[in-house]
Amino acid sequence: MKHMNHRLTLDDAVQVWLHSWNGEYQHEIAFRFGVNQGRVNEVLKGKRHPSSEQIAWEKRDLH
């Protein structure tokens, strides 16, 4: 687990999308990255790292 108060990077945000699409709850994703659930919500609402959703779609399509 990462250090608490960690800031989500763009790569982290892409992973947030992938975990969310796999059915993980926001609080579980937050715990995984050592952040507050609000940071995960900001990613999923497009307020933080807005390009991460598109990158995640592209990454998902490659698999």
Side-chain angles (χ1 to χ4, degrees):
M1 183 173 83
K2 297 183 180 181
H3 185 270
M4 292 304 282
N5 298 323
H6 171 75
R7 288 182 161 225
L8 292 173
T9 66
L10 178 59
D11 289 337
D12 292 340
V14 169
Q15 291 301 313
V16 165
W17 281 105
L18 296 172
H19 287 291
S20 178
W21 293 334
N22 282 331
E24 282 189 49
Y25 293 105
Q26 289 184 22
H27 69 275
E28 295 170 328
I29 299 168
F31 181 79
R32 177 186 297 276
F33 288 96
V35 297
N36 181 290
Q37 181 179 342
R39 302 301 71 83
V40 171
N41 187 266
E42 288 173 346
V43 169
L44 297 176
K45 297 272 187 189
K47 294 179 181 176
R48 214 177 268 280
H49 300 298
S51 63
S52 62
E53 183 178 13
Q54 181 61 40
I55 295 167
W57 273 112
E58 292 167 6
K59 188 171 194 160
R60 189 176 188 186
D61 288 342
L62 292 175
H63 290 36

